[in-house]
Amino acid sequence: STLVWFVSRALDLERRLFGLDTSWWLWLSIAAAGLHQVYAVLFWRGELNYHFLTRRFGKNAFRVWMVGFLILFFSRPGLIVGLAAANQNTLAIPVWMGFGLGIIVLIPGIYLIDSIQRYFGYRRALGEDHFLPDEYRKKLLVKEGIFRWTNNAMYIFGFLVLWAPGFFLRSQAALIAAAAFNQIFIWAHYYFTELPDMNHIYGKFQSN
């Protein structure tokens, strides 16, 4: 909340979109990121260690998890788009530069999506290994597509797409939300949740 206060003091957050001023869009985008990470921590750890969802929903456990996860997942870019629209034209760069930077940060995200579809699989990307650890423990790490460059492609490249609305609409607030909250949140999630879980499922997990 202290960081948001400093951001609010530094930026013009009075502009409105759909009846909400920019400060509301900023708070909503931050809340969505935080709630998404909390959801993942609680249910991934609960399932991996205690079979929390499987004991309640049986074979439908992963589908139940996936619905909540995807709703929160897509809320993050959706709210950043709303924030960028409310706060557009506050970044002092030319239109062509904003468009170019937006395209640049989208390219690795598009390559990541293609690599997940072709080599990794969406169910694994959504955390099915937390539900079937014994099955996934036998599988090798994917080393094709974008994953040939790093085992940690989803964290390094995936969240760059959240920078795109801020560049396309030249919004200071959207870029700060993407960098200071979503990007930092996801790395905190990685080191405190994902990496320990991967070590538990696969043994020593290399994140390079």
Side-chain angles (χ1 to χ4, degrees):
S1 60
T2 302
L3 182 55
V4 178
W5 183 84
F6 279 113
V7 169
S8 301
R9 299 284 292 180
L11 301 178
D12 174 15
L13 300 180
E14 298 301 320
R15 300 183 183 193
R16 302 177 72 83
L17 178 71
F18 302 135
L20 299 176
D21 61 33
T22 304
S23 61
W24 272 99
W25 286 103
L26 178 61
W27 274 109
L28 287 170
S29 66
I30 295 167
L35 185 59
H36 185 217
Q37 303 306 151
V38 170
Y39 179 88
V41 171
L42 291 178
F43 289 105
W44 268 355
R45 286 285 170 85
E47 178 60 28
L48 185 60
N49 295 310
Y50 308 107
H51 308 294
F52 179 80
L53 291 172
T54 300
R55 284 192 285 111
R56 286 158 178 79
F57 300 104
K59 64 181 181 180
N60 294 316
F62 182 69
R63 289 184 186 142
V64 171
W65 146 265
M66 190 168 56
V67 169
F69 183 88
L70 289 176
I71 289 171
L72 292 169
F73 178 83
F74 285 112
S75 73
R76 294 173 79 156
L79 288 167
I80 287 186
V81 169
L83 174 60
N87 185 244
Q88 62 185 305
N89 301 323
T90 57
L91 185 66
I93 60 173
V95 173
W96 64 266
M97 183 179 293
F99 184 80
L101 290 170
I103 293 295
I104 288 171
V105 296
L106 280 179
I107 289 172
I110 294 170
Y111 185 26
L112 173 62
I113 292 171
D114 178 69
S115 297
I116 290 172
Q117 181 176 348
R118 295 174 64 185
Y119 308 113
F120 198 82
Y122 287 111
R123 294 179 70 90
R124 190 175 189 178
L126 290 172
E128 190 180 42
D129 49 359
H130 289 72
F131 293 77
L132 301 170
D134 292 336
E135 180 178 324
Y136 276 91
R137 189 172 290 120
K138 302 171 186 176
K139 297 186 178 184
L140 299 175
L141 293 177
V142 175
K143 287 293 186 181
E144 297 179 273
I146 201 170
F147 299 102
R148 82 180 73 175
W149 310 109
T150 173
N151 296 332
N152 206 12
M154 282 184 277
Y155 290 87
I156 294 173
F157 301 114
F159 276 71
L160 286 178
V161 300
L162 296 179
W163 295 62
F167 285 129
F168 284 136
L169 295 175
R170 291 174 296 140
S171 166
Q172 292 179 344
L175 288 173
I176 288 174
F181 298 103
N182 282 273
Q183 201 82 47
I184 290 176
F185 281 6
I186 199 61
W187 280 107
H189 168 78
Y190 174 74
Y191 282 110
F192 293 104
T193 302
E194 180 83 1
L195 186 57
D197 287 359
M198 294 302 97
N199 287 333
H200 179 80
I201 296 169
Y202 298 101
K204 187 64 176 177
F205 180 77
Q206 299 298 321
S207 61
N208 61 300

